[in-house]
């Protein structure tokens, strides 16, 4: 039995970051990972491959509008999927190798195989022969999540697929129905529509990207329609049948009409469930809720010496399944285990980015949430359409919307859809973190000409003083 201070199970953005931070703090760390490569969902099947595909879609968009840019000689624009896939794969494997390098640099032991909790402080890995590890301080469970379906829809991974298969398609599908309009659903809608597929999005809730501010959802619907993406909200998918050339999808639409959609693929993007199979964590008395590991705000389970972070956890309230959240939790858990003073994460300040076209960036309370919490809400928004930088980029859709509290001028949330929103949200995140007022944003000088001017102008607009509208 080999002894470590900390044994981390899972090398996703939660686990590998926790391991590096623990090692930086002088702890002896092992990471057990069942995949052959490091990086987990984000790096191997999630954030990185999808955003790589979206960059290809963006490049194609620019080329399709070559004549607007005065670029000549590009009359027949198309996309070569094998080149797209090999570039994407190179990016993914390069980044995964980067994590391997960081493990070596920080003297972290990588153990390949599937872990199970075999007793107090004991982790067992069966990969041919059995390896047993003892964690003298803590075990951090960071086993993440995997795609889940909805009743009546059986994923066959061939025609009825998940994001895991969608990222690897070797040719552009003629048509695709996407079930669910969360971040994953709308990002794939943007990718495949730009590549040339007929795309239909079916969403059960009354609007696209349901976690976003309502104004953002409405703007995305408008943009999708312009791009030729068909979107039905309030649509309940009841069945899907695979046939010779694709799949038939039955849905009851918002007007109660029942329709069958035919497509080459049905992409199920209805969320992800926790991965705890084979861990045998319940045997040690760890509390699970709907399969998620219950933790406190320091990521401790109810069993001393076992912590959990990332997509696999619940804290008794909605927990965002995001890479940067899992990493922040990993750092906090590692620092707490190393004996440092740590403060809980404020989940109201977690930025969310959706890289569809147009992009969405948001942080803090939506207008609806702020009203529900009893704030006397004051709103200010500013359209990208009048901004010099947006006109130059040919990206004039969308706006920045600020949600604030009238009484104290406190900034409560910033929601944006439009060019570079996934980058611009960083400014808003710092402002929220520093408990900024809107006035402080107004007095922050935004360089010209930049997309960030839209944030400054939205702050001015909140006080009824936008300059350029
Ligand atoms: C298509 C897609 C796009 C996404 N895009 C974004 C994005 O743009 N931005 C963002 O913030 N988030 C994004 N996400 C979400 C993000 O990927 C996850 O929130 C993040 O990966 C969670 O990290 P984690 O460490 O908790 O779990 P994971 O990354 O899932 O890692 C868990 C690891 O544990 C391993 N494991 C599981 N069980 C065992 C076991 N018993 N023994 C050993 N190893 C085990 C798994 O193999 C895996 O490597 C996306 C997700 C998807 C699916």
């Amino acid at each position: 039995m080999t002894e470590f201070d900390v044994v981390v199970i899972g090398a996703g953005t939660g686990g590998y970051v926790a391991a590096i931070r623990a090692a930086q703090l002088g702890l002896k760390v092992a990471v057990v990972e069942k995949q052959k490569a490091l990086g987990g969902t984000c790096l191997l099947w999630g954030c990185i491959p999808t955003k790589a595909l979206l960059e290809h879609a963006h490049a194609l968009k620019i080329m399709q509008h070559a004549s607007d840019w005065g670029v000549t000689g590009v009359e027949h624009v198309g996309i070569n999927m094998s080149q797209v896939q090999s570039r994407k794969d190179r990016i993914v494997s390069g980044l995964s190798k980067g994590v391997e390098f960081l493990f070596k640099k920080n003297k972290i032991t990588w153990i390949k195989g599937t872990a199970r909790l075999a007793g107090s402080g004991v982790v067992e890995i069966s990969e041919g022969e059995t390896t047993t590890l003892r964690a003298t301080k803590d075990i951090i469970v960071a086993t993440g999540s995997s795609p889940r379906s909805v009743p009546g829809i059986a994923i066959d991974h061939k025609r009825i697929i998940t994001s895991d298969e969608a990222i690897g398609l070797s040719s552009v599908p003629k048509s695709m129905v996407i079930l669910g309009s969360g971040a994953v659903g709308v990002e794939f809608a943007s990718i495949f529509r730009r590549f040339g597929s007929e795309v239909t999005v079916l969403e059960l809730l009354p609007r696209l990207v349901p976690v976003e501010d309502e104004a953002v959802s409405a703007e995305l619907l408008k943009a999708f329609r312009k791009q030729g993406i068909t979107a039905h909200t309030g649509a309940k998918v009841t069945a899907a049948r695979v046939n010779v050339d694709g799949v038939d999808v039955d849905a009851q639409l918002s007007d109660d009409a029942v329709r069958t959609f035919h497509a080459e693929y049905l992409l199920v993007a209805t969320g992800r469930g926790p991965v705890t199979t084979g861990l045998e964590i319940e045997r040690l008395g760890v509390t699970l809720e709907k399969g998620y590991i219950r933790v406190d705000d320091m990521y401790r389970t109810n069993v001393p010496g076992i912590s959990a972070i990332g997509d696999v956890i619940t804290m008794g309230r909605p927990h965002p399944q995001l890479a940067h959240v899992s990493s922040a939790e990993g750092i906090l858990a590692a620092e707490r285990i190393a004996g440092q003073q740590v403060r809980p994460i404020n989940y109201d300040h977690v930025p969310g980015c959706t890289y569809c076209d147009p992009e969405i960036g948001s942080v803090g309370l939506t207008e609806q949430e702020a009203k529900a919490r009893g704030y006397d809400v004051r709103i200010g928004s500013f359209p990208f359409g009048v901004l010099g930088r947006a006109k130059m980029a040919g990206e004039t859709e969308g706006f920045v919307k600020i949600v604030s509290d009238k009484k104290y001028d406190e900034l409560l949330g910033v929601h944006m859809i439009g060019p570079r929103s996934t980058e611009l949200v960083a400014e808003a995140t710092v402002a929220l973190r520093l408990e900024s007022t809107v006035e402080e944003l107004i007095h922050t000088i935004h360089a010209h000409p930049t997309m960030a001017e839209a944030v400054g102008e939205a702050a001015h607009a909140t006080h009824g003083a936008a300059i350029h509208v």
Side-chain angles (χ1 to χ4, degrees):
M1 189 174 316
T2 322
E3 272 197 3
F4 291 90
D5 294 319
V6 178
V7 174
V8 181
I9 305 176
T13 40
Y16 89 70
V17 170
I20 292 172
R21 187 69 190 122
Q24 282 174 346
L25 294 169
L27 300 177
K28 189 180 172 202
V29 183
V31 176
V32 188
E33 171 55 58
K34 66 181 178 188
Q35 296 294 330
K36 290 190 175 66
L38 299 173
T41 303
C42 170
L43 221 152
L44 306 174
W45 313 282
C47 328
I48 300 300
T50 50
K51 267 85 263 181
L53 294 178
L54 279 153
E55 292 294 350
H56 282 271
H58 185 69
L60 181 60
K61 182 179 176 179
I62 300 278
M63 299 302 275
Q64 284 169 340
H65 293 99
S67 61
D68 295 347
W69 297 93
V71 176
T72 55
V74 280
E75 276 68 39
H76 302 291
V77 178
I79 194 94
N80 177 328
M81 280 306 273
S82 68
Q83 257 176 280
V84 168
Q85 288 296 351
S86 60
R87 182 173 179 273
K88 179 211 77 185
D89 291 343
R90 274 199 311 278
I91 294 165
V92 167
S93 79
L95 288 170
S96 180
K97 290 263 178 291
V99 179
E100 267 182 57
F101 164 78
L102 292 172
F103 272 21
K104 281 189 193 124
K105 180 182 159 197
N106 288 286
K107 301 189 174 40
I108 294 165
T109 305
W110 171 16
I111 293 164
K112 294 173 187 155
T114 303
R116 92 180 171 90
L117 298 171
S120 176
V122 181
V123 176
E124 218 171 71
I125 303 106
S126 307
E127 202 70 6
E129 59 202 55
T130 300
T131 310
T132 307
L133 311 177
R134 174 170 290 285
T136 54
K137 284 188 184 295
D138 214 287
I139 296 168
I140 303 178
V141 180
T143 46
S145 62
S146 61
R148 66 166 178 223
S149 191
V150 288
I153 311 296
I155 294 165
D156 70 354
H157 304 284
K158 292 189 180 81
R159 290 289 173 187
I160 304 179
I161 60 174
T162 70
S163 57
D164 291 356
E165 291 79 39
I167 53 161
L169 290 180
S170 56
S171 60
V172 176
K174 278 196 194 60
S175 51
M176 180 178 275
V177 170
I178 299 177
L179 179 48
S181 74
V184 172
V186 297
E187 287 181 4
F188 278 109
S190 292
I191 293 167
F192 286 110
R193 181 62 193 142
R194 183 58 59 191
F195 286 175
S197 308
E198 287 301 324
V199 174
T200 304
V201 178
L202 300 175
E203 167 59 56
L204 178 65
L205 293 174
R207 56 195 179 93
L208 297 181
V209 283
V211 300
E212 300 294 341
D213 192 275
E214 281 178 18
V216 169
S217 299
E219 186 74 6
L220 184 65
L221 182 62
K222 208 165 78 186
F224 268 15
R225 289 205 169 133
K226 228 162 102 187
Q227 293 168 31
I229 294 172
T230 306
H232 292 281
T233 54
K236 184 172 187 209
V237 172
T238 50
R241 291 173 302 281
V242 173
N243 46 42
V244 272
D245 60 346
V247 51
D248 285 328
V249 184
D250 297 337
Q252 185 173 10
L253 303 184
S254 56
D255 60 1
D256 279 345
V258 175
R259 242 183 90 180
T260 301
F261 298 86
H262 179 77
E264 219 175 309
Y265 292 100
L266 168 63
L267 168 60
V268 180
T270 48
R272 298 173 65 83
V275 174
T276 52
T277 356
L279 258 188
E280 298 185 15
I281 194 164
E282 313 87 313
R283 268 196 336 123
L284 297 189
V286 172
T287 303
L288 300 187
E289 282 173 16
K290 293 185 180 159
Y292 290 92
I293 301 172
R294 178 66 194 246
V295 293
D296 65 13
D297 60 5
M298 292 285 127
Y299 309 101
R300 291 173 293 225
T301 68
N302 59 314
V303 173
I306 303 181
S307 304
I309 55 168
D311 279 11
V312 76
I313 65 167
T314 180
M315 302 173 90
R317 55 175 186 264
H319 175 259
Q321 290 184 319
L322 291 169
H324 43 282
V325 169
S326 68
S327 298
E329 292 168 350
I331 289 171
L332 196 149
E335 290 179 349
R336 190 246 311 147
I337 292 162
Q340 293 207 334
Q341 280 283 339
V342 284
R343 282 197 298 174
I345 289 172
N346 181 347
Y347 285 85
D348 279 348
H349 295 169
V350 171
C353 292
T354 304
Y355 302 74
C356 50
D357 180 15
E359 294 187 348
I360 299 169
S362 55
V363 62
L365 304 184
T366 63
E367 182 178 347
Q368 303 78 44
E369 286 166 345
K371 284 179 176 160
R373 288 201 198 176
Y375 287 104
D376 186 5
V377 171
R378 185 156 63 171
I379 301 295
S381 49
F382 187 82
F384 282 104
V386 297
L387 210 62
R389 189 65 191 269
K391 284 182 190 291
M392 292 169 219
E395 304 262 1
T396 50
E397 289 174 308
F399 54 81
V400 174
K401 172 174 172 178
I402 287 184
V403 179
S404 66
D405 162 43
K406 211 174 194 172
K407 193 168 175 196
Y408 299 111
D409 195 39
E410 187 189 351
L411 188 64
L412 299 174
V414 182
H415 307 274
M416 49 187 105
I417 175 165
R420 322 272 206 279
S421 288
T422 58
E423 302 290 339
L424 297 183
V425 75
E427 175 188 359
T429 308
V430 174
L432 272 178
R433 167 89 187 150
L434 298 179
E435 297 179 358
S436 171
T437 58
V438 175
E439 194 179 340
E440 279 165 319
L441 264 186
I442 289 174
H443 294 303
T444 303
I445 297 173
H446 292 83
H448 176 74
T450 59
M451 301 293 186
E453 285 175 280
V455 178
E457 283 273 29
H460 281 270
T462 311
H463 284 202
I467 303 297
H468 290 95
V469 280

